[in-house]
């Protein structure tokens, strides 16, 4: 069967390579690099973190499919607070996925929040704020963790990871922001920059639309269940909106993990993006060296890097 | 309804901007840029091309869903020839989509072409060649059209479009190759570089996996029906392979347009990537200026550009 990632050779050489991986790029005779699976298997417990339950959204879709979203209060604190309020008050329960535009976004919210619908039927926001300041970028803070990538970026002066999120930095404007990569969750809004409040969110399901960066507030990132948002039928209306109610995927509930009894909270860990194992993953992806990849790229784009998650039980 | 691309303001200013768009990026007071729809509406008939029926594959999936793939003989002539032979002899009819890996690829071919299957049941290749030279890159040819993009690339010295395909060039190695972008169709293979023959193909359905560039032969690009490959349920086996036969989407038929009666050939036109309208589309995407986008990116990544197609009837 033609496949992309044969691992037999890499497996055989895994042990002897673990310590010396970063040096491989300079070796005259390339040796197989570890596979992501092997690097993760060798990771240490301290290299993994458990998302703060106060920043973890649990969205349950029809069919019981679970999507986990980690909020990013370091970058969009006011939006995180408002989304927590919406979740506390069960705002999203009974709403739906209203839009799936191929190679762009899956968006969810209130089907009646539409120019062509009866807005009088919209679900009340409860105690959540109706509008919020943009929070499209934040002041650059040297104290925020930043694992910079070595290969540059088409759009920004500096890119890397901060607390698990793909981030861009501009030393000139002294701003930083989470970038729109696959799985990034943003705050949909109308034309005005202050018209978003978190009651309608979107996840990126295609090529990173980096042109959205600094024009929308990024609420966070899907850390599990992305396939339940990316594999939905595309909407046939303008911008991928569904044209018929029955085409929409119902949202059963959206809960903040902190609002769930500890026993019911999702068991999930995320690899720290400032860990040695994450650095090994990045280097292994920059320079794949196995029997399949004869010409390692020697480069990696920010949005081509996935941050691993796991069920802690798998690590036992 | 929070959306991303309000067009009212752009519509109002469309006419006066058409001629002056390229200068907009330098203007102190940004004005709305044309929307892609407006730029295409103003395009000239000569800016569109009809794909050569000898390079156009028509894949019909279960449900009658049609996927159009344009082959790239300028870059992979031996693979194009072999795939034409496979289509001539109806090789793909009755095979299936065997693999969908989220944020990576959808792959189709013979379910029995698998280490865990009974290879004796594999469909014969007929007169098609069993193996082909790699064709992972081609010698750089100054005579091949190349519309270079202005903003650079993380992976290659030069990127742009050639005959409708996203292409990278390396003046140092004097090579060029089609890049792995959303919709790119590649030739799956086993470990050895000459093990591919076109009997199993894959389409990119997520963030551009540019690390595949120069390691696999690119057969062409999906020019229509991409949503029928990208929205399929993800496979639950290793690498996204489907674990049960009933999970696979059957391929009804794959025909070369040239093998169909003229009346049955798909009516499709592709915007020339060396046209003025395409240049306007690229510039409008680099510097979106409307009431929604307050901070134009000023940059564009190769794989963020979609090449427009249309039904000629729409142009009437």
């Amino acid at each position: 069967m033609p496949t992309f990632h044969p691992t037999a050779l890499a497996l055989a050489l895994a042990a002897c390579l673990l310590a010396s991986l970063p040096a491989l790029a300079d070796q005259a005779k390339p040796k197989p690099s570890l596979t992501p699976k092997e690097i993760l298997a060798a990771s240490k417990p301290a290299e993994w973190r458990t998302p703060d339950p106060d920043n973890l959204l649990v969205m349950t879709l029809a069919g019981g499919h679970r999507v986990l979203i980690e909020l990013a209060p370091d970058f969009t604190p006011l939006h995180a607070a408002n989304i927590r309020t919406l979740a506390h008050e069960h705002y999203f329960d009974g709403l739906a996925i209203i839009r799936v535009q191929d190679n762009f976004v899956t968006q969810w919210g209130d089907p009646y929040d539409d120019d062509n619908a009866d807005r009088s039927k919209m679900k009340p926001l409860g105690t959540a704020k109706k509008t919020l300041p943009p929070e499209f970028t934040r002041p650059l803070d040297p104290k925020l963790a930043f694992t910079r990538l070595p290969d540059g970026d088409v759009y920004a002066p500096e890119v890397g990871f901060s607390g698990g999120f793909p981030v861009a930095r501009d030393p000139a404007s002294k701003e930083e922001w989470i970038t729109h990569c696959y799985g990034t969750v943003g705050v949909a809004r109308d034309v005005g920059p202050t018209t978003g409040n978190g009651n309608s969110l979107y996840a990126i399901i295609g090529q990173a639309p980096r042109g959205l960066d600094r024009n929308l507030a990024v609420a966070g990132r899907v850390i599990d269940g992305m396939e339940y948002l990316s594999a939905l039928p595309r909407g046939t209306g303008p911008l991928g909106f569904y044209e018929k109610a029955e085409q929409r995927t119902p949202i059963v509930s959206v809960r903040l993990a902190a609002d769930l009894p500890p026993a019911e909270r999702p068991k999930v860990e995320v690899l720290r993006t400032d860990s040695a194992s994450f650095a090994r993953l990045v280097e292994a992806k920059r320079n794949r060296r196995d029997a399949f990849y004869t010409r390692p790229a020697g480069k990696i784009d920010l949005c081509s890097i996935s941050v691993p998650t796991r069920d802690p039980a798998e690590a036992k």
Side-chain angles (χ1 to χ4, degrees), chain A:
Chain A
M1 162 66 69
T3 57
F4 292 178
H5 307 103
T7 59
L9 185 47
L11 275 162
L13 293 167
C16 68
L17 283 174
L18 183 54
S20 60
L21 240 198
L24 277 181
D26 308 324
Q27 294 185 1
K29 288 187 178 180
K31 293 177 185 174
S33 55
L34 294 183
T35 63
K37 187 176 181 181
E38 293 152 6
I39 291 170
L40 293 181
S43 66
K44 300 180 176 61
E47 294 184 305
W48 296 81
R49 64 183 177 87
T50 299
D52 182 341
D54 211 39
N55 293 332
L56 184 62
L57 288 178
V58 184
M59 177 162 68
T60 304
L61 300 174
H65 298 141
R66 188 191 74 174
V67 179
L68 299 182
I69 298 167
E70 184 171 22
L71 299 174
D74 284 338
F75 288 84
T76 48
L78 298 175
H79 285 77
N82 218 46
I83 291 168
R84 288 189 197 102
T85 299
L86 291 166
H88 284 316
E89 300 175 2
H90 300 184
Y91 170 78
F92 294 99
D93 299 17
L95 299 186
I97 291 171
I98 55 178
R99 173 193 187 191
V100 183
Q101 185 171 1
D102 194 54
N103 191 23
F104 192 32
V105 299
T106 288
Q107 182 177 336
W108 56 97
D110 187 339
Y112 287 104
D113 185 8
D114 187 313
D115 296 337
N116 306 319
D118 179 359
R119 281 206 155 90
S120 70
K121 294 182 178 175
M122 281 177 58
K123 192 167 182 176
L125 286 181
T127 66
K129 292 185 168 58
K130 307 280 179 294
T131 66
L132 293 172
E135 293 190 316
F136 299 163
T137 68
R138 59 152 293 153
L140 206 162
D141 179 358
K143 293 188 300 296
L144 265 185
F146 184 63
T147 302
R148 188 174 176 179
L149 293 177
D151 302 312
D153 181 69
V154 168
Y155 294 87
E158 300 177 3
V159 293
F161 286 85
S162 180
F165 297 99
V167 167
R169 292 185 160 196
D170 182 356
S173 68
K174 297 186 169 53
E175 295 169 289
E176 59 188 309
W177 58 92
I178 295 176
T179 58
H180 283 79
C181 294
Y182 193 89
T184 291
V185 174
V187 177
R189 61 172 173 86
D190 282 314
V191 176
T194 65
T195 55
N197 58 47
N199 73 318
S200 187
L201 301 169
Y202 61 87
I204 301 303
I205 62 168
Q207 176 69 19
R210 297 285 305 280
L212 299 182
D213 293 355
R214 306 180 304 165
N215 285 288
L216 290 128
V218 171
R221 190 175 71 83
V222 174
I223 62 171
D224 190 52
M226 188 59 203
E227 64 274 23
Y228 302 121
L229 299 176
S230 61
L232 296 169
R234 281 39 180 159
T236 51
L239 302 177
F241 281 96
Y242 288 121
E243 297 179 284
K244 300 174 181 175
E246 59 268 29
Q247 296 171 321
R248 302 179 189 126
T249 300
I251 297 173
V252 176
S253 65
V254 174
R255 295 284 180 273
L256 195 67
D259 291 343
L260 298 172
E264 294 177 23
R265 295 174 187 172
K267 304 290 183 294
V268 61
E269 293 180 335
V270 182
L271 186 67
R272 294 182 185 276
T273 47
D274 56 359
S275 67
S277 289
F278 184 74
R280 287 192 189 95
L281 281 177
V282 171
E283 179 54 30
K285 187 147 187 172
R286 291 180 71 238
N287 288 293
R288 293 188 64 97
R289 295 184 183 283
D290 56 40
F292 189 85
Y293 286 84
T294 55
R295 296 183 70 171
K299 309 277 185 177
I300 192 69
D301 176 68
L302 173 67
C303 291
S304 292
I305 298 171
S306 303
V307 180
T309 61
R310 72 179 182 186
D311 179 334
E314 298 169 9
K316 300 292 180 289

